[in-house]
Amino acid sequence: MWPYISEMKLDVLVFGAHPDDAELGCGGTIISMIESGKKVGIIDLTQGELGSKGDAETRERESHRANEIMGVIIRENLLMSDGFFSHNMQNSLKIIETIRKYKPDLILTNAPSDRHPDHGRACKMVTEACFLSGLVKIETQIKGKWQEKWRPKLVFHYIQDRYLKPDFVFDITPYFDKKMEAIAAYSTQFFNPDDKTDPTPISTKEFWDFLAARAREFGRSGGVEFAEGFIAERTLAVNHFGAFL
């Protein structure tokens, strides 16, 4: 019998192509789940090293600060190549190993299509890895020990820069300010009045205002003040309406 390795089981694992994707797309949801007692981890596929401002080192420091704000205790980077990572066997196995390591019931990942091509590519790769991770004949190891197969129960895609119609929205009204604080931790990337260099499309005051407007837009559609939108990988089934009342 193989000596299977055991790691901390998480309730939720959030994947992002770049550091700050998770905060932007579902930071409020992450904070809500952590404050309700769920174990949540974040996996960044790349270091975001191609960002017009900052570098891999500054973005790592910023992600640590964002973790502290949100209460995230597990965050890893798979060190894929920003802008150029391929949907191939090697990278898929990295994701499968991570899924089997933490055994999440729910996975949140990038939007199916978006302004940044890394987002859609990451979405497809993570989604397929969620299925492949459940196949016993795909063998993976960590620290020289074989991992057990694992398939998450649910996969949701958080909506990012481009508007996509959500299948549902998650109320983040009590956590909106903390979400924005976590995003602001990436001070090289987003609006910073002390930054006198030429702005990028995401470092303007207009983009900062857009983030609040998007949260209000999703909130209005769901009858709350602020919300984040999600696309479900498959049709959701319910057996009572208590959650909606």
Side-chain angles (χ1 to χ4, degrees):
M1 189 172 194
W2 295 113
Y4 288 110
I5 188 168
S6 176
E7 297 281 353
M8 176 188 291
K9 185 188 182 309
L10 298 178
D11 299 300
V12 184
L13 195 57
V14 183
F15 283 90
H18 314 101
D20 73 28
D21 280 356
E23 289 84 352
L24 285 165
C26 60
T29 302
I30 291 171
I31 295 165
S32 173
M33 291 189 294
I34 290 173
E35 294 199 2
S36 69
K38 299 296 185 183
K39 295 178 181 177
V40 183
I42 299 176
I43 307 296
D44 302 311
L45 301 189
T46 78
Q47 296 175 291
E49 64 270 20
L50 291 185
S52 300
K53 298 190 177 193
D55 52 35
E57 288 73 25
T58 58
R59 296 190 78 169
E60 182 180 12
R61 290 196 297 269
E62 290 166 350
S63 69
H64 287 321
R65 174 59 183 147
N67 294 345
E68 293 173 355
I69 294 167
M70 296 187 293
V72 173
I73 59 172
I74 290 176
R75 189 166 195 159
E76 296 184 10
N77 197 299
L78 298 188
L79 302 177
M80 297 181 192
S81 180
D82 187 14
F84 294 99
F85 66 83
S86 298
H87 186 172
N88 57 30
M89 183 176 181
Q90 179 183 8
N91 285 334
S92 293
L93 285 173
K94 286 183 179 181
I95 298 172
I96 291 169
E97 288 167 5
T98 306
I99 293 170
R100 290 176 172 180
K101 178 180 180 180
Y102 291 115
K103 296 180 168 57
D105 296 309
L106 168 63
I107 281 187
L108 306 179
T109 191
N110 290 97
S113 64
D114 206 36
R115 175 177 175 270
H116 198 307
D118 280 357
H119 296 171
R121 192 160 63 252
C123 167
K124 184 172 178 60
M125 189 160 58
V126 171
T127 301
E128 288 190 5
C130 289
F131 177 82
L132 295 175
S133 180
L135 300 181
V136 69
K137 289 187 178 180
I138 295 179
E139 298 180 345
T140 57
Q141 297 184 48
I142 287 186
K143 300 177 184 178
K145 295 184 178 179
W146 296 96
Q147 295 179 294
E148 293 178 302
K149 66 182 179 69
W150 183 265
R151 184 171 294 151
K153 296 175 183 176
L154 293 168
V155 180
F156 297 144
H157 308 288
Y158 48 84
I159 296 170
Q160 299 184 256
D161 189 82
R162 290 179 179 166
Y163 178 84
L164 300 174
K165 187 178 186 303
D167 290 321
F168 67 93
V169 298
F170 191 98
D171 181 9
I172 63 164
T173 304
Y175 312 103
F176 176 74
D177 289 341
K178 188 175 281 191
K179 168 194 168 97
M180 297 301 281
E181 183 183 355
I183 295 171
Y186 294 89
S187 57
T188 63
Q189 303 301 303
F190 303 109
F191 178 66
N192 181 353
D194 298 326
D195 183 0
K196 305 306 180 185
T197 61
D198 291 338
T200 68
I202 63 171
S203 70
T204 63
K205 177 65 163 56
E206 289 75 16
F207 182 77
W208 191 256
D209 293 341
F210 158 75
L211 295 176
R214 170 60 61 78
R216 287 186 183 277
E217 177 183 31
F218 283 146
R220 180 172 174 78
S221 70
V224 298
E225 187 174 3
F226 295 107
E228 291 168 339
F230 293 89
I231 296 170
E233 186 61 28
R234 60 178 172 81
T235 301
L236 302 177
V238 299
N239 58 14
H240 68 88
F241 291 107
F244 306 110
L245 302 175

